[in-house]
Amino acid sequence: MRRLSNDEIAEILYEIGEYLDMQGVQFKPRAYEKVAQTIEGLQEEVADIYKKGGLKSVEDIPGVGVSIAEKIEELLKTGKCKYHQDLKKKTPVDLASLTRVEGLGPRKIKVLYKKLGVKNLSDLEKSAKAGKIAKLEGFGEKTEENILKGLEFVKKSGGRFVLGFVLPVIRDVEKRLRGLKGVEAAQVAGSVRRWKETVGDADILVISNKPAVVMDYFVSMPEVGRVLAKGETRSSVTLKNGMDIDVRVVSKESYGSALAYFTGSKDHNIELRKIAISKGYKLNEYGLYKGKKNIAGKSEEEIYKALGLDYVEPEMREMTGEIAAAKKKALPKIIGYGDLKGDLQTQTNWTDGADSIEKMAKAAMERGLEYIAVTDHTKRLAMTGGLDEKRILKQMAEIDSLNKKFGGKFRILKSTECDILKDGGMDLPDEILKKLDIVGGSVHSLFNLSRKDQTERIKKAMANPHVDIIFHPTGRLIHKREAYDVDMDEVIKTAKKTGTVLEIDASPDRLDLKDEYIKKCVDLGVKMTIDSDAHSASQFEFLEFGIAQARRGWAQKNDIINAWPIEKMLKFLK
Ligand code: DGT
Ligand code: CA
Ligand code: CA
Ligand code: ZN
């Protein structure tokens, strides 16, 4: 269980207050808000207070009574609070949808609900279009404009889900199906198995000799919001989070062909079927048939082989040249999920991260990494407490002493996520950048510059002899914020010319670079890094999404500098 920071605990308490308030409950909301404020301002971590003195000492925090103390205890022990989750479910306001609009958190939503009666996205749109939001205290025209922009984006997402946000529940369902009586295998297929950035639904295949057990269990899972269909071997449900899951029970003899069929993509399937026909076979979800005989249905490997193709990894099945390459036995050996040796973007509690440098390093070690770069923000990002010259020097000293403590078993690299200024200059002076092991640069402001200016800005940063990496190069947030307008071909070319590395940011809603740009980098020999962009020790988990993205872009180990041993990686940098 990951340790919750004071800010995270406060956030949940604030939310409880807001939910209660939206339900018209008296007094209690204010009590939660006050405790949240107190906890935000505490010097000592609540987790430490609890560890030392238990429930009793949590009750000693001003404003905390026994009932709030118990909720804090539950949060610290389980990471969740049932009361909070129940309230969330019960509020008349569709928070799940409304919070998808960038910039709208529970606090703002509460005001919109109380003053304007906004309960869902369509209410929100009406109010914004009528200019009612701009008139509210604390909102203004700019906010209203942003809400409208955010709404457009939510609409565009068209019922698709960011894979990283829904994968935990999909895996959980998969695992529980696997544990049912009579089940031999359960495996998610479809776009989830291809690791697409966003997925429409999840398609799970099961081998079982007791299909009824699988169906009964599946439609009665606690996550299910609505049963769409229940059959003997196939059922569909909508989960409470809005996503659909289909489950099909198939026979062992057809498992490989069903897996291939339901993994897709559709275009890839169509091409496979054509090849089958050209060889006088027939391919469908039940098998690969020669006449009436199923010659290869048990495994995907058998099917590809029988069709004269090398096995194609699911992440590559998008009809972007993989079939031609598989025919010629020319598919690259793409990077594996266990291939990273380091992580070159992590934030700590020196700025907006939740955990100390040491804790981040230990979590990385546990994941089998050999090095991380600590890349806290810089001073221009004032709201994160970005580091100035003095504090980054102090941080470097702390890193030196931690490295000494680790005695060569692990290495923390001194680094920065340095803001790129409007003119392409850097937010820290060269004398400081020079002292760091690695320098990353990021655009965090002025997203609306013209394409020409934005491109020049980034090119100038890349020309800086100290800047090694450009982090999240296009700045997009999937479903929330469009990439800034930038000529990526030009950026990739400049990366090549200047020896600058481009980042694949593994945060599930960044995944920036996109697969098509990764492919361009691979083709041109531009090196990349896959970073978690972790803001807490648990977020090293994100790395697998970055690796998946790299695989979708056909990247090999040699294309990814943090898949290299540290000496080789450091030698490559500028
Ligand atoms: P999604 O759910 O929109 O993110 O994308 P997928 O790829 O998971 O698509 P989905 O759920 O509609 O169907 C799952 C797989 O089933 C798909 O990847 C390929 C296969 N499939 C679906 N419809 C067809 C079809 O009309 N022809 C062929 N050959 N395959 C299909
Ligand atoms: Ca699907
Ligand atoms: Ca489906
Ligand atoms: Zn950033």
Side-chain angles (χ1 to χ4, degrees):
M1 186 43 233
R2 173 174 95 70
R3 221 171 95 121
L4 259 67
S5 70
N6 285 359
D7 281 352
E8 286 168 309
I9 294 169
E11 190 59 38
I12 289 169
L13 296 174
Y14 274 124
E15 285 188 13
I16 291 178
E18 280 139 14
Y19 295 143
L20 289 169
D21 198 10
M22 282 190 251
Q23 291 180 2
V25 175
Q26 301 277 308
F27 309 116
K28 264 194 187 170
R30 180 72 191 122
Y32 276 94
E33 189 188 339
K34 271 170 89 174
V35 171
Q37 277 166 351
T38 305
I39 287 179
E40 262 179 338
L42 283 181
Q43 288 296 325
E44 198 177 359
E45 292 283 313
V46 176
D48 289 332
I49 297 176
Y50 177 68
K51 211 160 127 193
K52 273 188 240 155
L55 196 62
K56 270 274 158 288
S57 58
V58 176
E59 276 180 57
D60 291 341
I61 298 170
V64 176
V66 64
S67 122
I68 296 185
E70 279 169 1
K71 291 181 181 81
I72 293 174
E73 181 178 46
E74 186 187 346
L75 273 172
L76 290 169
K77 278 189 166 162
T78 69
K80 289 190 200 110
C81 164
K82 188 162 179 319
Y83 183 63
H84 171 250
Q85 291 181 324
D86 287 347
L87 276 174
K88 192 171 179 174
K89 272 181 227 154
K90 265 192 279 172
T91 32
V93 176
D94 181 5
L95 275 163
S97 303
L98 288 168
T99 46
R100 285 173 66 196
V101 177
E102 201 197 358
L104 277 192
R107 249 163 280 180
K108 283 214 170 91
I109 294 170
K110 183 187 81 183
V111 178
L112 291 169
Y113 172 63
K114 295 200 107 178
K115 302 271 172 176
L116 304 173
V118 169
K119 286 189 193 158
N120 50 40
L121 291 174
S122 99
D123 294 345
L124 181 70
E125 185 168 12
K126 273 184 220 144
S127 296
K129 287 202 166 143
K132 287 185 188 161
I133 293 176
K135 293 199 193 93
L136 291 179
E137 203 184 308
F139 281 75
E141 287 194 8
K142 187 85 202 140
T143 310
E144 187 172 83
E145 234 174 77
N146 285 338
I147 286 176
L148 281 167
K149 261 193 224 153
L151 268 165
E152 272 311 296
F153 231 91
V154 170
K155 276 200 225 157
K156 255 194 268 172
S157 73
R160 296 188 68 80
F161 298 81
V162 171
L163 176 61
F165 298 166
V166 291
L167 192 61
V169 51
I170 297 170
R171 281 186 171 158
D172 211 51
V173 170
E174 197 185 27
K175 194 170 130 202
R176 281 181 283 142
L177 291 175
R178 241 173 236 149
L180 293 178
K181 210 171 157 191
V183 170
E184 196 171 309
Q187 160 78 52
V188 63
S191 50
V192 176
R193 185 163 177 243
R194 304 199 311 280
W195 292 83
K196 274 195 71 153
E197 298 165 351
T198 66
V199 299
D201 70 353
D203 311 275
I204 300 180
L205 295 181
V206 177
I207 304 180
S208 170
N209 53 19
K210 292 194 171 54
V213 173
V214 177
M215 296 295 114
D216 287 344
Y217 175 76
F218 175 60
V219 298
S220 60
M221 299 184 307
E223 296 90 338
V224 171
R226 200 152 76 90
V227 178
L228 301 172
K230 186 182 177 217
E232 280 174 18
T233 58
R234 178 181 170 178
S235 296
S236 295
V237 302
T238 304
L239 299 185
K240 287 179 184 147
N241 71 8
M243 185 188 60
D244 293 351
I245 305 193
D246 295 339
V247 166
R248 289 178 186 80
V249 177
V250 300
S251 75
K252 210 170 165 174
E253 288 63 42
S254 295
Y255 186 62
S257 44
L259 193 55
Y261 181 90
F262 290 109
T263 296
S265 65
K266 193 172 157 185
D267 292 341
H268 180 91
N269 284 354
I270 291 172
E271 200 54 32
L272 288 186
R273 202 172 322 145
K274 276 192 204 154
I275 294 175
I277 291 168
S278 75
K279 292 190 179 301
Y281 305 149
K282 196 178 110 195
L283 176 65
N284 58 28
E285 60 265 51
Y286 303 106
L288 180 66
Y289 295 92
K290 189 173 182 180
K292 286 217 152 47
K293 194 167 177 251
N294 190 353
I295 58 166
K298 269 197 167 156
S299 74
E300 289 186 323
E301 285 79 3
E302 279 178 27
I303 296 170
Y304 281 99
K305 199 166 164 210
L307 295 177
L309 302 172
D310 272 354
Y311 177 75
V312 181
E313 298 284 355
E315 295 89 331
M316 301 173 85
R317 299 184 196 169
E318 300 288 354
M319 266 325 268
T320 54
E322 74 277 11
I323 301 247
K327 238 184 233 170
K328 288 189 291 191
K329 312 219 167 295
L331 281 172
K333 184 173 183 311
I334 54 178
I335 183 166
Y337 285 96
D339 279 345
L340 291 187
K341 294 199 186 315
D343 185 342
L344 300 181
Q345 199 201 148
T346 66
Q347 274 75 211
T348 72
N349 61 7
W350 282 70
T351 58
D352 61 346
D355 293 315
S356 66
I357 301 176
E358 182 165 13
K359 185 158 176 204
M360 293 296 280
K362 287 191 168 150
M365 260 185 260
E366 270 165 36
R367 271 202 57 108
L369 297 179
E370 293 165 16
Y371 55 90
I372 59 170
V374 167
T375 56
D376 277 301
H377 291 292
T378 55
K379 58 189 188 247
R380 214 207 53 84
L381 269 192
M383 60 181 181
T384 68
L387 304 183
D388 59 13
E389 291 82 334
K390 234 168 110 185
R391 284 184 69 220
I392 200 166
L393 287 170
K394 252 178 94 182
Q395 184 183 60
M396 288 160 72
E398 179 174 324
I399 291 176
D400 279 335
S401 74
L402 280 170
N403 276 333
K404 215 173 266 164
K405 196 165 141 188
F406 291 140
K409 273 203 322 247
F410 184 87
R411 170 116 177 249
I412 305 168
L413 296 165
K414 297 168 205 159
S415 185
T416 174
E417 177 176 8
C418 189
D419 255 55
I420 300 175
L421 306 178
K422 184 177 181 189
D423 63 356
M426 301 302 286
D427 194 25
L428 288 173
D430 282 354
E431 305 87 73
I432 296 282
L433 299 183
K434 212 160 58 184
K435 293 198 170 97
L436 296 166
D437 297 311
I438 308 187
V439 173
S442 289
V443 167
H444 286 134
S445 62
L446 300 159
F447 279 45
N448 53 0
L449 290 187
S450 72
R451 183 180 181 84
K452 184 166 161 280
D453 290 347
Q454 198 69 276
T455 307
E456 282 311 309
R457 177 189 190 185
I458 295 171
K459 280 172 72 174
K460 177 144 179 251
M462 287 195 279
N464 182 316
H466 304 295
V467 174
D468 301 297
I469 308 173
I470 300 294
F471 289 144
H472 46 73
T474 78
R476 71 156 176 183
L477 288 175
I478 299 173
H479 289 173
K480 282 199 173 160
R481 184 174 74 204
E482 209 99 45
Y484 37 76
D485 197 7
V486 59
D487 183 343
M488 275 308 285
D489 287 324
E490 194 58 30
V491 167
I492 292 170
K493 259 192 259 164
T494 310
K496 174 81 184 170
K497 216 171 354 181
T498 56
T500 311
V501 173
L502 298 181
E503 182 189 57
I504 301 169
D505 192 305
S507 270
D509 61 349
R510 284 193 183 271
L511 294 179
D512 178 6
L513 302 170
K514 289 202 284 202
D515 46 7
E516 61 173 291
Y517 297 139
I518 296 172
K519 255 189 157 170
K520 282 186 179 165
C521 290
V522 169
D523 290 344
L524 275 177
V526 169
K527 299 299 174 199
M528 290 164 282
T529 166
I530 300 171
D531 302 332
S532 65
D533 199 353
H535 280 67
S536 70
S538 68
Q539 291 181 344
F540 287 106
E541 281 171 13
F542 291 165
L543 284 171
E544 70 174 333
F545 297 104
I547 299 168
Q549 187 79 336
R551 288 165 62 87
R552 290 177 55 80
W554 296 32
Q556 307 185 48
K557 238 164 111 169
N558 186 41
D559 298 308
I560 306 293
I561 65 165
N562 56 327
W564 304 349
I566 191 162
E567 303 76 31
K568 177 176 168 190
M569 191 274 300
L570 287 173
K571 225 163 101 191
F572 174 81
L573 300 175
K574 287 181 189 171

